[in-house]
Short mmCIF file of all heavy atoms in Angstrom, two decimals:
data_model
loop_
_atom_site.label_atom_id
_atom_site.label_comp_id
_atom_site.label_asym_id
_atom_site.label_seq_id
_atom_site.Cartn_x
_atom_site.Cartn_y
_atom_site.Cartn_z
N GLN A 1 46.31 -239.20 -49.18
CA GLN A 1 45.05 -238.98 -48.46
C GLN A 1 45.10 -237.70 -47.65
O GLN A 1 44.14 -236.96 -47.59
CB GLN A 1 44.78 -240.19 -47.55
CG GLN A 1 44.41 -241.46 -48.32
CD GLN A 1 44.30 -242.65 -47.39
OE1 GLN A 1 44.80 -242.67 -46.28
NE2 GLN A 1 43.63 -243.69 -47.86
N THR A 2 46.27 -237.41 -47.05
CA THR A 2 46.42 -236.18 -46.26
C THR A 2 46.31 -234.97 -47.17
O THR A 2 45.62 -233.99 -46.87
CB THR A 2 47.78 -236.17 -45.54
OG1 THR A 2 47.86 -237.31 -44.69
CG2 THR A 2 47.96 -234.89 -44.75
N LEU A 3 46.96 -235.03 -48.33
CA LEU A 3 46.88 -233.93 -49.29
C LEU A 3 45.45 -233.71 -49.73
O LEU A 3 44.96 -232.59 -49.78
CB LEU A 3 47.77 -234.23 -50.49
CG LEU A 3 47.84 -233.18 -51.58
CD1 LEU A 3 48.46 -231.90 -51.04
CD2 LEU A 3 48.65 -233.69 -52.76
N SER A 4 44.76 -234.79 -50.04
CA SER A 4 43.36 -234.69 -50.47
C SER A 4 42.50 -234.10 -49.36
O SER A 4 41.67 -233.25 -49.62
CB SER A 4 42.85 -236.08 -50.89
OG SER A 4 41.49 -236.02 -51.22
N ALA A 5 42.71 -234.55 -48.15
CA ALA A 5 41.92 -234.06 -47.03
C ALA A 5 42.16 -232.57 -46.83
O ALA A 5 41.23 -231.80 -46.58
CB ALA A 5 42.25 -234.83 -45.76
N ALA A 6 43.42 -232.16 -46.97
CA ALA A 6 43.74 -230.73 -46.80
C ALA A 6 43.05 -229.90 -47.86
O ALA A 6 42.50 -228.83 -47.56
CB ALA A 6 45.25 -230.53 -46.85
N PHE A 7 43.07 -230.39 -49.10
CA PHE A 7 42.44 -229.61 -50.15
C PHE A 7 40.92 -229.66 -50.03
O PHE A 7 40.23 -228.68 -50.38
CB PHE A 7 42.89 -230.09 -51.53
CG PHE A 7 42.66 -229.06 -52.60
CD1 PHE A 7 43.56 -228.03 -52.77
CD2 PHE A 7 41.53 -229.11 -53.39
CE1 PHE A 7 43.34 -227.04 -53.73
CE2 PHE A 7 41.30 -228.13 -54.35
CZ PHE A 7 42.20 -227.10 -54.53
N GLN A 8 40.39 -230.77 -49.54
CA GLN A 8 38.94 -230.83 -49.33
C GLN A 8 38.52 -229.78 -48.31
O GLN A 8 37.47 -229.16 -48.45
CB GLN A 8 38.54 -232.22 -48.85
CG GLN A 8 38.56 -233.29 -49.92
CD GLN A 8 37.52 -233.01 -51.01
OE1 GLN A 8 36.47 -232.44 -50.75
NE2 GLN A 8 37.82 -233.43 -52.21
N ARG A 9 39.36 -229.56 -47.32
CA ARG A 9 39.05 -228.51 -46.35
C ARG A 9 39.10 -227.14 -47.03
O ARG A 9 38.30 -226.25 -46.74
CB ARG A 9 40.00 -228.57 -45.16
CG ARG A 9 39.77 -229.75 -44.22
CD ARG A 9 40.50 -229.57 -42.92
NE ARG A 9 41.95 -229.60 -43.13
CZ ARG A 9 42.69 -230.71 -43.13
NH1 ARG A 9 42.10 -231.88 -42.95
NH2 ARG A 9 43.99 -230.66 -43.30
N ALA A 10 40.08 -226.96 -47.91
CA ALA A 10 40.22 -225.69 -48.61
C ALA A 10 39.00 -225.41 -49.48
O ALA A 10 38.53 -224.26 -49.57
CB ALA A 10 41.48 -225.70 -49.47
N ILE A 11 38.48 -226.45 -50.10
CA ILE A 11 37.31 -226.29 -50.96
C ILE A 11 36.11 -225.76 -50.18
O ILE A 11 35.28 -225.01 -50.71
CB ILE A 11 36.96 -227.65 -51.63
CG1 ILE A 11 38.04 -228.01 -52.66
CG2 ILE A 11 35.58 -227.61 -52.27
CD1 ILE A 11 37.89 -229.42 -53.21
N GLN A 12 36.01 -226.14 -48.92
CA GLN A 12 34.86 -225.72 -48.11
C GLN A 12 34.97 -224.30 -47.60
O GLN A 12 34.00 -223.77 -47.07
CB GLN A 12 34.71 -226.68 -46.92
CG GLN A 12 34.59 -228.14 -47.30
CD GLN A 12 33.46 -228.40 -48.28
OE1 GLN A 12 32.37 -227.85 -48.16
NE2 GLN A 12 33.71 -229.25 -49.28
N MET A 13 36.12 -223.68 -47.80
CA MET A 13 36.30 -222.31 -47.32
C MET A 13 35.56 -221.34 -48.22
O MET A 13 35.38 -221.59 -49.42
CB MET A 13 37.79 -221.97 -47.30
CG MET A 13 38.62 -222.83 -46.37
SD MET A 13 38.21 -222.53 -44.64
CE MET A 13 38.86 -220.88 -44.42
N PRO A 14 35.10 -220.21 -47.68
CA PRO A 14 34.50 -219.17 -48.52
C PRO A 14 35.57 -218.56 -49.42
O PRO A 14 36.78 -218.66 -49.14
CB PRO A 14 33.97 -218.16 -47.51
CG PRO A 14 34.79 -218.36 -46.28
CD PRO A 14 35.12 -219.83 -46.25
N GLY A 15 35.15 -217.93 -50.49
CA GLY A 15 36.09 -217.32 -51.42
C GLY A 15 36.99 -216.32 -50.74
O GLY A 15 36.54 -215.52 -49.91
N MET A 16 38.27 -216.35 -51.10
CA MET A 16 39.23 -215.44 -50.47
C MET A 16 38.95 -213.99 -50.85
O MET A 16 39.12 -213.07 -50.05
CB MET A 16 40.66 -215.81 -50.89
CG MET A 16 41.74 -214.93 -50.32
SD MET A 16 43.40 -215.57 -50.61
CE MET A 16 43.41 -216.97 -49.49
N PHE A 17 38.47 -213.76 -52.08
CA PHE A 17 38.20 -212.39 -52.54
C PHE A 17 36.72 -212.06 -52.60
O PHE A 17 36.36 -210.88 -52.59
CB PHE A 17 38.85 -212.17 -53.92
CG PHE A 17 40.34 -212.31 -53.89
CD1 PHE A 17 40.95 -213.51 -54.21
CD2 PHE A 17 41.13 -211.23 -53.51
CE1 PHE A 17 42.34 -213.64 -54.17
CE2 PHE A 17 42.52 -211.35 -53.47
CZ PHE A 17 43.13 -212.57 -53.80
N ALA A 18 35.88 -213.10 -52.69
CA ALA A 18 34.42 -212.84 -52.68
C ALA A 18 33.68 -214.15 -52.46
O ALA A 18 34.10 -215.20 -52.97
CB ALA A 18 33.97 -212.19 -53.98
N ALA A 19 32.60 -214.07 -51.70
CA ALA A 19 31.68 -215.20 -51.53
C ALA A 19 30.32 -214.71 -52.02
O ALA A 19 29.59 -214.05 -51.30
CB ALA A 19 31.63 -215.63 -50.07
N LEU A 20 30.04 -215.04 -53.27
CA LEU A 20 28.84 -214.53 -53.93
C LEU A 20 27.63 -215.43 -53.70
O LEU A 20 27.79 -216.65 -53.61
CB LEU A 20 29.08 -214.41 -55.45
CG LEU A 20 30.26 -213.54 -55.88
CD1 LEU A 20 30.44 -213.66 -57.40
CD2 LEU A 20 30.06 -212.10 -55.46
N VAL A 21 26.47 -214.81 -53.62
CA VAL A 21 25.21 -215.53 -53.55
C VAL A 21 24.31 -214.95 -54.64
O VAL A 21 23.90 -213.77 -54.56
CB VAL A 21 24.53 -215.41 -52.17
CG1 VAL A 21 23.19 -216.17 -52.17
CG2 VAL A 21 25.45 -215.93 -51.07
N LEU A 22 24.07 -215.73 -55.70
CA LEU A 22 23.31 -215.23 -56.86
C LEU A 22 22.24 -216.23 -57.23
O LEU A 22 22.35 -217.42 -56.95
CB LEU A 22 24.23 -215.01 -58.06
CG LEU A 22 25.39 -214.00 -57.89
CD1 LEU A 22 26.28 -214.03 -59.13
CD2 LEU A 22 24.88 -212.61 -57.61
N GLN A 23 21.21 -215.75 -57.92
CA GLN A 23 20.22 -216.63 -58.49
C GLN A 23 19.95 -216.18 -59.93
O GLN A 23 20.32 -215.06 -60.33
CB GLN A 23 18.93 -216.65 -57.68
CG GLN A 23 18.17 -215.33 -57.66
CD GLN A 23 16.90 -215.42 -56.82
OE1 GLN A 23 16.86 -216.09 -55.80
NE2 GLN A 23 15.86 -214.75 -57.28
N GLY A 24 19.35 -217.06 -60.72
CA GLY A 24 19.10 -216.75 -62.11
C GLY A 24 18.44 -215.41 -62.31
O GLY A 24 17.53 -215.05 -61.57
N GLY A 25 18.93 -214.64 -63.29
CA GLY A 25 18.43 -213.30 -63.53
C GLY A 25 19.14 -212.24 -62.71
O GLY A 25 18.65 -211.11 -62.61
N PHE A 26 20.31 -212.59 -62.14
CA PHE A 26 21.01 -211.66 -61.25
C PHE A 26 21.47 -210.40 -62.00
O PHE A 26 21.68 -210.40 -63.22
CB PHE A 26 22.20 -212.37 -60.61
CG PHE A 26 23.22 -212.90 -61.58
CD1 PHE A 26 24.24 -212.10 -62.10
CD2 PHE A 26 23.17 -214.22 -61.99
CE1 PHE A 26 25.17 -212.60 -62.99
CE2 PHE A 26 24.10 -214.74 -62.88
CZ PHE A 26 25.10 -213.92 -63.39
N THR A 27 21.62 -209.35 -61.22
CA THR A 27 22.21 -208.10 -61.71
C THR A 27 23.22 -207.63 -60.67
O THR A 27 23.06 -207.90 -59.47
CB THR A 27 21.14 -207.00 -61.91
OG1 THR A 27 20.45 -206.78 -60.69
CG2 THR A 27 20.16 -207.39 -63.00
N PRO A 28 24.27 -206.96 -61.09
CA PRO A 28 24.60 -206.68 -62.48
C PRO A 28 25.07 -207.95 -63.20
O PRO A 28 25.53 -208.89 -62.56
CB PRO A 28 25.75 -205.68 -62.37
CG PRO A 28 26.39 -206.00 -61.05
CD PRO A 28 25.29 -206.40 -60.15
N ASP A 29 24.88 -207.94 -64.48
CA ASP A 29 25.33 -209.04 -65.33
C ASP A 29 26.20 -208.44 -66.46
O ASP A 29 25.67 -207.72 -67.29
CB ASP A 29 24.13 -209.79 -65.92
CG ASP A 29 24.53 -211.02 -66.72
OD1 ASP A 29 25.74 -211.16 -67.05
OD2 ASP A 29 23.65 -211.83 -67.03
N PRO A 30 27.51 -208.71 -66.43
CA PRO A 30 28.19 -209.66 -65.56
C PRO A 30 28.46 -209.09 -64.17
O PRO A 30 28.59 -207.90 -63.99
CB PRO A 30 29.50 -209.92 -66.31
CG PRO A 30 29.76 -208.65 -67.05
CD PRO A 30 28.41 -208.16 -67.47
N THR A 31 28.57 -210.01 -63.21
CA THR A 31 29.06 -209.68 -61.88
C THR A 31 30.56 -209.92 -61.88
O THR A 31 31.01 -210.98 -62.30
CB THR A 31 28.37 -210.53 -60.81
OG1 THR A 31 26.99 -210.13 -60.71
CG2 THR A 31 29.03 -210.36 -59.46
N ALA A 32 31.32 -208.93 -61.42
CA ALA A 32 32.78 -209.00 -61.52
C ALA A 32 33.44 -208.98 -60.13
O ALA A 32 32.92 -208.30 -59.22
CB ALA A 32 33.32 -207.85 -62.36
N VAL A 33 34.52 -209.71 -60.00
CA VAL A 33 35.29 -209.73 -58.76
C VAL A 33 36.76 -209.58 -59.10
O VAL A 33 37.29 -210.30 -59.97
CB VAL A 33 35.09 -211.08 -57.99
CG1 VAL A 33 35.94 -211.08 -56.71
CG2 VAL A 33 33.62 -211.30 -57.68
N GLU A 34 37.42 -208.64 -58.44
CA GLU A 34 38.86 -208.45 -58.63
C GLU A 34 39.61 -209.42 -57.71
O GLU A 34 39.31 -209.48 -56.51
CB GLU A 34 39.26 -207.00 -58.29
CG GLU A 34 38.52 -205.95 -59.08
CD GLU A 34 38.85 -205.96 -60.57
OE1 GLU A 34 39.97 -206.42 -60.92
OE2 GLU A 34 38.03 -205.51 -61.37
N VAL A 35 40.56 -210.16 -58.28
CA VAL A 35 41.30 -211.14 -57.49
C VAL A 35 42.79 -211.03 -57.82
O VAL A 35 43.19 -210.31 -58.75
CB VAL A 35 40.82 -212.58 -57.79
CG1 VAL A 35 39.32 -212.70 -57.59
CG2 VAL A 35 41.21 -213.03 -59.20
N GLU A 36 43.57 -211.76 -57.07
CA GLU A 36 44.97 -211.99 -57.40
C GLU A 36 45.12 -213.49 -57.65
O GLU A 36 44.87 -214.30 -56.76
CB GLU A 36 45.89 -211.53 -56.28
CG GLU A 36 45.90 -210.03 -56.10
CD GLU A 36 46.83 -209.58 -54.99
OE1 GLU A 36 47.39 -210.46 -54.30
OE2 GLU A 36 47.00 -208.36 -54.80
N GLY A 37 45.49 -213.86 -58.88
CA GLY A 37 45.54 -215.26 -59.23
C GLY A 37 46.82 -215.95 -58.78
O GLY A 37 47.75 -215.33 -58.27
N GLY A 38 46.82 -217.26 -58.97
CA GLY A 38 48.02 -218.04 -58.71
C GLY A 38 48.09 -218.63 -57.31
O GLY A 38 47.21 -218.44 -56.48
N GLY A 39 49.17 -219.36 -57.07
CA GLY A 39 49.39 -220.04 -55.81
C GLY A 39 50.43 -221.12 -56.00
O GLY A 39 51.15 -221.14 -57.00
N ALA A 40 50.49 -222.06 -55.06
CA ALA A 40 51.51 -223.10 -55.09
C ALA A 40 50.95 -224.49 -55.39
O ALA A 40 51.70 -225.45 -55.53
CB ALA A 40 52.28 -223.14 -53.77
N PHE A 41 49.62 -224.62 -55.49
CA PHE A 41 49.00 -225.93 -55.69
C PHE A 41 48.85 -226.21 -57.18
O PHE A 41 48.33 -225.39 -57.93
CB PHE A 41 47.63 -225.96 -55.02
CG PHE A 41 47.00 -227.33 -54.98
CD1 PHE A 41 47.21 -228.18 -53.91
CD2 PHE A 41 46.22 -227.77 -56.03
CE1 PHE A 41 46.63 -229.44 -53.88
CE2 PHE A 41 45.64 -229.03 -56.01
CZ PHE A 41 45.85 -229.87 -54.93
N GLU A 42 49.32 -227.40 -57.63
CA GLU A 42 49.24 -227.77 -59.04
C GLU A 42 47.81 -228.15 -59.38
O GLU A 42 47.26 -229.12 -58.85
CB GLU A 42 50.17 -228.94 -59.33
CG GLU A 42 51.66 -228.61 -59.23
CD GLU A 42 52.12 -227.71 -60.37
OE1 GLU A 42 51.42 -227.65 -61.41
OE2 GLU A 42 53.18 -227.08 -60.21
N ALA A 43 47.21 -227.40 -60.30
CA ALA A 43 45.83 -227.66 -60.68
C ALA A 43 45.65 -229.03 -61.34
O ALA A 43 44.60 -229.65 -61.24
CB ALA A 43 45.32 -226.56 -61.63
N ALA A 44 46.71 -229.52 -61.99
CA ALA A 44 46.62 -230.82 -62.66
C ALA A 44 46.41 -231.96 -61.66
O ALA A 44 45.99 -233.06 -62.05
CB ALA A 44 47.89 -231.09 -63.48
#
């Protein structure tokens, strides 16, 4: 439950590299964001 609560808090955080606000018909299309992938949390 603690692990879930911690990750639920993480989910609510804005994007580390970008917090986008778009609506249908957005430009540029595609919209691109440069990030650094990976981390220590198991996606499974």
Side-chain angles (χ1 to χ4, degrees):
Q1 289 174 340
T2 301
L3 181 63
S4 176
F7 200 81
Q8 286 295 329
R9 288 194 295 272
I11 290 171
Q12 304 306 318
M13 298 293 290
M16 179 170 289
F17 297 95
L20 303 174
V21 179
L22 300 174
Q23 65 180 37
F26 59 85
T27 58
D29 185 346
T31 291
V33 179
E34 304 293 335
V35 307
E36 292 180 355
F41 189 91
E42 292 289 341

